[in-house]
Amino acid sequence: MSDSTIYEVARLAGVSIATVSRALRNTGPVSAATREKVQRAVEQLKFTPSRLGVSLAEGRHAANGIVFPDLSGPYFAEVLLGYEEVAAELGRSVLILSTRDRDGVPATVKDLATRVDGLVVFGQTLSDAMLTELAESGLPTVLLARDAHPGTEAVRSENGGAAEALAVHLIAHGHRAFALAGGHDEGDVSQRWTAVARTLGLHGIPVPRPVECPYTVEGGYEAGLRLLPDNPDVVMCADDQVALGVILAAEELNLKIPGDVAVTGWDDIMAARHARPALTTVRQPLRELGGAAARVLDELIAGVEPTNTTRVLATDLVIRSSCGPHPPAQEEQ
Amino acid sequence: MSDSTIYEVARLAGVSIATVSRALRNTGPVSAATREKVQRAVEQLKFTPSRLGVSLAEGRHAANGIVFPDLSGPYFAEVLLGYEEVAAELGRSVLILSTRDRDGVPATVKDLATRVDGLVVFGQTLSDAMLTELAESGLPTVLLARDAHPGTEAVRSENGGAAEALAVHLIAHGHRAFALAGGHDEGDVSQRWTAVARTLGLHGIPVPRPVECPYTVEGGYEAGLRLLPDNPDVVMCADDQVALGVILAAEELNLKIPGDVAVTGWDDIMAARHARPALTTVRQPLRELGGAAARVLDELIAGVEPTNTTRVLATDLVIRSSCGPHPPAQEEQ
DNA sequence: CTCGTGTGTGTAAGCGCTTCCACTGCCCCG
DNA sequence: CGGGGCAGTGGAAGCGCTTACACACACGAG
């Protein structure tokens, strides 16, 4: 913003740099007259303190980072939004790092780590070994959408209860043949499938094995093509994007939703409401998730010792038409 | 990442800090033996150079920022993704700043400016005065989704041609009564409406005045409720989210799309493909937009003088079913 | 008229790095 | 065999700030 330094301001104002600093940060007594002179010099030179100088002297960055695998879906974007909002509120800039399939992730993360006072890391983005390394380095770290790792805190949204409620709802519809789309061992999703399996078991319904696929529309489409020929009553999907893909596959196979097969998602992204048919799903408080992570991280940075606690935010079952016919009153747009 | 400094490494390796620095950055002759000793010391202490120290000495941040109004829609998220990807490729971290409706934006932007080597700024996010201030401060700046401001470069996607093509297509459908949803004077959108107006004029069709609304589903819904009672043949929308909102409003009013009224969007976000009916729209190369901005910014940072040039990326007309019936062959999923 | 007690200000020591410059050997060419 | 050149290294000066510490001075209390 400006090329002038505190020295030039000091010279122009006829005082020492210490005084300039004190005047600018209100960090010590400065006479009104001096303050005035400094103020004038600052304006004349359009002086803005160098962030680098400040940070080096203060020993803090006043910035924190967030690491996520991708930003293509609405999921991460929403969480990021909530995160940035709260971080800004707390006076911290935010650095982002998307790992994608990039190689050299560890190096990039380490670079990021040197630029921030703390880090938020999404679910399975980083290996546990890497997380341990981060924790041991003393960098405050908060995990998102998974349970805490030693030396960190975590924030996620409720999975088991909502998954159970969703399964119960589907069973009430009369669905018996279940299929599950999406699911390597990601903490979040596996928690849901576990609850679904338990619920189905209690009702004496066969428990399907989840079919793995990328959490994208394309991934869901592929999964749909594999699952639908077996004529399931319902395909429960790891997230809404997968569900949208399954819907596409169903259309391709001339299957009617929910007539021939029901489909459910998870997250309640915008497209879920606009899908044809509108998607029954579970709403995650995405922004709140990000915001909560920012606050927890701030505490850690402030010096609170990590307790390996996982904070769990509530989710809502959102019943729409993709899971089967309802009396209109029950539907929600 | 590590609390050790270059001094400790130097002491442990039995050399001077200058040598450590040279060994680590390959910036001068170092004997194999010395290099080895340094390497060992680095590993033993888990030394990672302090970014602050490096940046202060080098006089650069190796980071750049991006300023956008919001991240709620897919639009900004996609562009951001492309931006981050290329920035990472170029070895730069990225700091994000969402302005939202927050007050104190100028101050926040100035703070951001002190943390980066260059800035990408979305369309109407910042006032022209603010842009001038940035440019004059010498901070490399690239504008997105609008034309260049003095002292900057700009990247946007093509608007006029696609808007004209879309209008022509709609006219070919037999639509005559046009309505336009969304449109304060944003550079991008106003360019489209101008082209639409010209095209309609050439065909002797009355030119409607755009109805302003926020670029969100809710905004589109409101706009739809206001516009649809006038029985337009088609509602052209500023972006896909607005179009989705108009579709919702049409449902509410029991209007069939495209039977009673056609609707078009802009951007081709994911939900457009999954909407009911699927949305005719214009595809913007969102990621490429972000990537191009990152590259241009990198040149500016490397010292290339700004030329106030606007780079224009091509767009594609995407015909789906929301604009009227087509022979199946013409449709695209 | 002293001795605290503040207020207001300057000096200088960092913060952690990069890099210019100087210096020491050593090798090789004439 | 002398000297130029270069590989290898260290000293030290920044980069732009914050802040502990010292100091000067004024003022009211004893």
Side-chain angles (χ1 to χ4, degrees), chain A residues 93-327:
Chain A
S93 294
V94 1
L95 306 229
I96 61 173
L97 175 60
S98 165
T99 58
R100 247 156 311 225
D101 311 313
R102 275 207 279 259
D103 37 70
V105 167
T108 336
V109 172
K110 279 178 198 165
D111 175 76
L112 179 60
T114 64
R115 297 171 171 272
V116 298
D117 300 319
L119 220 49
V120 166
V121 179
F122 261 101
Q124 302 333 68
T125 319
L126 264 37
S127 70
D128 277 18
M130 187 73 212
L131 289 181
T132 303
E133 202 175 327
L134 282 178
E136 283 177 355
S137 79
L139 217 230
T141 306
V142 172
L143 269 25
L144 257 174
R146 59 159 283 177
D147 288 324
H149 182 84
T152 69
E153 300 288 285
V155 180
R156 65 170 174 87
S157 54
E158 204 283 327
N159 285 308
E164 181 183 334
L166 181 55
V168 166
H169 181 86
L170 294 171
I171 293 170
H173 268 293
H175 301 314
R176 288 299 175 270
F178 280 69
L180 304 182
H184 18 113
D185 293 335
E186 301 235 352
D188 241 13
V189 173
S190 68
Q191 289 181 350
R192 296 173 206 160
W193 288 167
T194 302
V196 168
R198 187 168 18 79
T199 308
L200 295 184
L202 287 177
H203 287 75
I205 297 174
V207 176
R209 208 162 51 78
V211 167
E212 292 189 14
C213 72
Y215 295 166
T216 61
V217 174
E218 293 67 30
Y221 176 78
E222 298 294 337
L225 290 184
R226 248 184 305 162
L227 288 169
L228 292 171
D230 295 339
N231 288 314
D233 291 337
V234 53
V235 181
M236 298 183 73
C237 302
D239 75 8
D240 287 347
Q241 296 197 73
V242 171
L244 294 175
V246 170
I247 290 177
L248 251 30
E251 271 179 16
E252 178 113 349
L253 299 172
N254 277 316
L255 294 172
K256 287 217 171 7
I257 299 176
D260 298 324
V261 57
V263 174
T264 67
W266 200 286
D267 290 350
D268 195 27
I269 64 175
M270 185 178 67
R273 215 177 63 174
H274 296 278
R276 158 192 33 185
L279 200 55
T280 288
T281 187
V282 175
R283 179 177 303 145
Q284 286 201 57
L286 299 178
R287 296 198 189 189
E288 287 75 11
L289 224 47
R295 286 186 213 288
V296 174
L297 182 56
D298 196 60
E299 286 178 16
L300 249 36
I301 294 172
V304 177
E305 283 302 311
T307 58
N308 310 332
T309 307
T310 302
R311 281 158 191 73
V312 179
L313 272 49
T315 46
D316 291 315
L317 188 54
V318 180
I319 307 292
R320 298 206 183 90
S321 50
S322 73
C323 61
H326 294 83

Side-chain angles (χ1 to χ4, degrees), chain B residues 278-290:
Chain B
L279 201 56
T280 288
T281 187
V282 174
R283 179 176 304 144
Q284 285 202 57
L286 298 179
R287 296 198 189 191
E288 287 75 9
L289 224 46

Side-chain angles (χ1 to χ4, degrees), chain B residues 39-111:
Chain B
Q39 204 47 251
R40 252 199 300 279
V42 163
E43 275 156 26
Q44 187 174 332
L45 295 173
K46 297 194 177 169
F47 171 72
T48 311
S50 149
R51 184 69 240 178
L52 252 19
V54 175
S55 284
L56 191 57
E58 280 185 336
R60 58 176 225 131
H61 299 268
N64 38 220
I66 182 166
V67 183
F68 45 81
D70 201 338
L71 205 61
S72 59
Y75 173 85
F76 295 110
E78 284 290 318
V79 177
L80 177 55
L81 190 63
Y83 179 65
E84 196 271 349
E85 173 141 32
V86 172
E89 229 175 85
L90 297 170
R92 318 187 139 275
S93 294
V94 1
L95 305 227
I96 62 174
L97 174 60
S98 167
T99 58
R100 245 157 310 224
D101 310 314
R102 274 206 281 257
D103 38 69
V105 167
T108 336
V109 171
K110 279 179 199 167
D111 174 78

Side-chain angles (χ1 to χ4, degrees), chain B residues 42 145 174 179 185 225 261 269 310:
Chain B
V42 163
D185 293 334
L225 290 186
V261 57
I269 65 176
T310 303

